[in-house]
Amino acid sequence: MASDFVKYANSFQTVINLGLGRISALLKLMGDPQRGQRFVHVAGTNGKGSVCAMLDAILTAEGLKVGRYTSPNLVRVNERVVVDGEEIPDEELNPLLERVGALCPEVEHITGECPTQFEVWTAAAMEYFKNKNCDIVLLEVGLGGEFDATNVIDKNALAVITRVALDHCAYLGNTTAEIAKAKCGIMKPGGLTVALSQEAEVNAVIMDCAKKAGNRLVFACAPESEGHDGLSEIFSYKSMTGLKSALGGPHQRENAAIAIEAALALGVSESSIRQGLAATRHRGRLEPLSDDIIFDGAHNPNGVEALCAALDRCFPGRERTVIFACMKDKDIIPSLKMLSASARHFIFTRVVGNPRSMTENDLKTLAAENGIDGEAAPDLAAALELSEKYPGSLRVICGSLYLYESIPKIIDNPRYKCYN
């Protein structure tokens, strides 16, 4: 039973069921481990993971013991729960999952519903961070904000809102204003919020929500580019010049600005900000796997737009082959059209073992109906093999972060050199 539950908790998440009733009941049975912890709560459509990675490095440089809870995982669930840069080891995670699993029937009795996988992971993370006596915990929202399981906390040291765009519309709303309102649900009464300054309608919602919550609001503004070093950004922000973000792509400048404002709000020194930004690592985000293979987790139009801008600047004029997979619930045509403006070849594949993944043939058909021709491959390894018939082409893997699970197996092949 316990091993079955651990297997369930580590499987693909197949059910989205927003609400705080189940997670509240579960944590109460666990003694409410979230109480008394210091959280930086991060919501937004794009950039959450990058901002959390930057803040992790910055706060670590400041000498703090940092916990970080993010999703989705790329290879295994342990990546979601990190303290001082180290993933939770199996010998600590599995007993936690077994403990949570033993409580789930009681939660179902109390609420009428069994906790979701994400709620299981969230509860385990809260317990782990408490046991490790973290100075601060970076808490990334799973989906939305107001009714996301992470919003079970009753207060935070800081709320952070990254870029808001159209995504998960079936759950959050059909306009960026509606989605922004859902994400602003992480604001706590009398707290402090740092948000990216973006489109007027989104800013208006953020300001209104902050006012209603009695929050002091700080907007992170656009930094000034000073060029780039390969994929890394060089930029200035306010009085700080010559800043370097190890994370690649022009879009990372705005994520860095958010992280800087958040760090300043927490009283972090400029030297730690500089050191942390330059040391940040975040797999699956414009990550070179070899000289001619790039992996990026872009999975919605805003993310794909940022990816295209980065590729245009760093690889101007180079032929591109796009290897693409996506989930069934995504409106991927806008993304494919942006990619098709500069890609010569498309290879469509699937995330193997994930029931939410669109099949390669359905994806190929949908793309063809919208004027985008391509080939189909049953998995990422086959797609990469197929792409080798386009020598000299830059191969760009994107569409779903879940594709990354296959990367470690594939790059064991001597022809691929993993980038560290």
Side-chain angles (χ1 to χ4, degrees):
M1 171 86 176
S3 61
D4 288 343
F5 185 81
V6 170
K7 183 178 179 181
Y8 159 77
N10 281 275
S11 65
F12 279 114
Q13 182 176 354
T14 58
V15 176
I16 295 173
N17 189 5
L18 298 178
L20 299 178
R22 296 173 303 275
I23 185 67
S24 296
L26 179 56
L27 287 170
K28 185 175 181 181
L29 292 172
M30 295 171 64
D32 282 322
Q34 77 279 11
R35 297 279 174 82
Q37 297 196 54
R38 192 173 181 228
F39 295 103
V40 173
H41 203 181
V42 183
T45 306
N46 291 317
K48 298 188 299 294
S50 294
V51 169
C52 284
M54 291 174 180
L55 277 173
D56 194 342
I58 289 168
L59 295 172
T60 298
E62 188 75 355
L64 299 176
K65 186 171 190 177
V66 184
R68 175 161 50 104
Y69 181 56
T70 58
S71 61
N73 52 281
L74 299 180
V75 179
R76 60 181 194 150
V77 71
N78 307 60
E79 302 163 23
R80 298 180 176 227
V81 184
V82 172
V83 173
D84 281 345
E86 298 293 329
E87 299 171 6
I88 182 173
D90 287 341
E91 56 268 26
E92 295 189 72
L93 175 60
N94 290 339
L96 266 178
L97 292 177
E98 290 170 3
R99 181 186 173 199
V100 174
L103 295 172
C104 282
E106 190 170 350
V107 172
E108 187 170 10
H109 176 74
I110 294 168
T111 68
E113 295 180 304
C114 184
T116 66
Q117 289 163 305
F118 187 71
E119 289 163 348
V120 167
W121 293 325
T122 301
M126 295 295 186
E127 179 79 1
Y128 187 68
F129 295 139
K130 178 185 178 182
N131 292 341
K132 293 299 180 181
N133 295 312
C134 294
D135 295 314
I136 197 161
V137 172
L138 304 172
L139 196 59
E140 180 188 337
V141 166
L143 193 156
E146 182 176 7
F147 298 110
D148 183 77
T150 60
N151 206 32
V152 70
I153 62 175
D154 56 8
K155 62 180 180 179
N156 55 49
L158 183 64
V160 176
I161 309 293
T162 67
R163 179 160 292 281
V164 175
L166 293 176
D167 201 10
H168 298 294
C169 295
Y171 300 97
L172 305 179
N174 294 312
T175 67
T176 52
E178 291 174 338
I179 292 172
K181 185 175 180 181
K183 296 182 184 300
C184 286
I186 68 169
M187 295 179 184
K188 302 303 180 187
L192 171 61
T193 294
V194 168
L196 176 69
S197 181
Q198 44 200 295
E199 288 74 15
E201 60 269 26
V202 173
N203 283 352
V205 172
I206 294 172
M207 288 187 287
D208 183 59
C209 290
K211 182 178 179 180
K212 290 177 179 176
N215 270 220
R216 182 166 72 87
L217 175 61
V218 177
F219 275 119
C221 300
E224 294 291 328
S225 175
E226 295 180 358
H228 63 100
D229 179 10
L231 290 173
S232 296
E233 293 298 314
I234 311 296
F235 63 98
S236 60
Y237 188 75
K238 293 185 172 178
S239 63
M240 291 177 272
T241 60
L243 296 166
K244 182 175 183 177
S245 168
L247 299 189
H251 59 289
Q252 293 295 357
R253 292 198 300 268
E254 73 175 28
N255 291 330
I258 300 167
I260 291 169
E261 287 290 3
L264 292 173
L266 295 169
V268 175
S269 66
E270 180 178 330
S271 62
S272 293
I273 290 171
R274 288 183 178 277
Q275 182 181 338
L277 288 176
T280 302
R281 295 291 179 267
H282 195 32
R283 292 187 297 168
R285 277 74 173 181
L286 206 66
E287 180 182 357
L289 303 178
S290 73
D291 291 339
D292 66 348
I293 302 175
I294 297 284
F295 186 101
D296 191 79
H299 59 274
N300 56 42
N302 184 259
V304 169
E305 182 180 19
L307 168 61
C308 291
L311 295 175
D312 288 344
R313 192 192 61 177
C314 296
F315 304 96
R318 187 168 179 183
E319 179 182 294
R320 296 175 200 167
T321 297
V322 171
I323 299 173
F324 193 91
C326 67
M327 300 295 103
K328 297 174 187 174
D329 57 354
K330 298 287 184 182
D331 178 14
I332 50 88
I333 297 305
S335 296
L336 287 177
K337 287 183 175 178
M338 275 189 276
L339 289 164
S340 69
S342 55
R344 181 168 294 183
H345 315 286
F346 275 89
I347 300 173
F348 301 110
T349 187
R350 71 167 76 192
V351 181
V352 176
N354 189 332
R356 286 179 57 209
S357 179
M358 187 178 289
T359 69
E360 66 275 18
N361 290 322
D362 285 348
L363 185 50
K364 177 183 175 182
T365 299
L366 181 61
E369 289 172 352
N370 287 271
I372 301 170
D373 294 325
E375 302 166 90
D379 55 40
L380 183 56
L384 279 168
E385 185 174 351
L386 191 58
S387 72
E388 290 180 2
K389 67 182 182 179
Y390 305 117
S393 182
L394 178 67
R395 291 174 281 180
V396 182
I397 306 168
C398 62
S400 175
L401 269 171
Y402 288 119
L403 271 174
Y404 200 92
E405 185 187 24
S406 301
I407 293 296
K409 306 165 193 173
I410 293 171
I411 60 178
D412 283 341
N413 188 316
R415 68 163 64 100
Y416 304 127
K417 182 178 180 297
C418 186
Y419 176 83
N420 293 306

